[in-house]
Amino acid sequence: MELMRWNPTRHMFGGNHRMDRLFDEFFAPLASEGETATFHNWHPVVDVYEKDDRIIVKADLPGVDKKDINVDVKGNVLTLSGERFDEKEVKEEKTYRRERSFGKFVRTFHLADGIDYEKISAEYKDGVLRLEIPKPETEKPKQITIH
């Protein structure tokens, strides 16, 4: 056992992390208890940014097969969903630690009115899904000629 000097400010800033973990564990319960627990539902991280006349959405989906990814548009909602399957290559009794999440995921994004959904393109390469969504004509800046 190691002795540690008491620092009264050490736990002062850790409260947010503990509250976040409490909510995460309540809304996404662990598959099992202990160090080898993994989430059955996970949410891929996403970057959304604007470039010229389109919106770019990049989602990190490592280990997800292209056939297991769905991109749907209904109304003004774009839904990214799919599933990353658990790998059963290692026997449970030989596992020391499991931190990688697996299972189904769903991310939704509200789109602006006037987007031509037929022009949305998707590319999946090296575990990253890239969606290009054209901006609606009403949002594009219009150049006005001065006479």
Side-chain angles (χ1 to χ4, degrees):
M1 186 164 115
E2 184 177 335
L3 290 177
M4 292 178 52
R5 182 175 293 235
W6 182 68
N7 181 353
T9 61
R10 181 177 57 191
H11 297 294
M12 186 181 300
F13 301 107
N16 288 345
H17 174 69
R18 287 194 297 271
M19 286 302 289
D20 289 344
R21 215 170 91 213
L22 175 71
F23 282 109
D24 287 344
E25 289 173 2
F26 178 77
F27 290 110
L30 298 172
S32 61
E33 294 186 15
E35 292 279 340
T36 62
T38 58
F39 288 99
H40 278 285
N41 293 314
W42 63 283
H43 303 285
V45 293
V46 176
D47 291 338
V48 180
Y49 59 92
E50 187 175 336
K51 186 174 183 183
D52 300 326
D53 60 345
R54 60 193 180 273
I55 303 293
I56 307 295
V57 177
K58 283 186 173 181
D60 286 348
L61 301 168
V64 179
D65 241 300
K66 183 175 157 179
K67 65 178 177 49
D68 297 322
I69 302 171
N70 301 309
V71 180
D72 300 312
V73 178
K74 184 176 182 180
N76 285 356
V77 178
L78 180 128
T79 303
L80 169 62
S81 62
E83 186 169 3
R84 179 166 56 193
F85 295 97
D86 184 19
E87 297 173 355
K88 294 291 184 185
E89 295 175 6
V90 180
K91 295 185 188 289
E92 292 296 324
E93 65 268 8
K94 299 287 184 177
T95 301
Y96 294 105
R97 183 179 210 86
R98 280 189 84 164
E99 295 182 348
R100 295 176 55 222
S101 299
F102 61 91
K104 294 182 180 186
F105 63 88
V106 176
R107 295 292 307 261
T108 58
F109 305 93
H110 294 278
L111 303 175
D113 291 328
I115 289 179
D116 185 358
Y117 302 122
E118 299 296 323
K119 293 184 180 178
I120 295 176
S121 64
E123 177 187 18
Y124 188 62
K125 183 178 178 185
D126 298 330
V128 178
L129 176 67
R130 178 187 170 100
L131 301 173
E132 291 194 13
I133 305 165
K135 288 184 191 176
E137 292 293 326
T138 56
E139 281 193 21
K140 289 182 184 176
K142 297 193 177 12
Q143 186 68 34
I144 299 172
T145 306
I146 301 173
H147 299 280

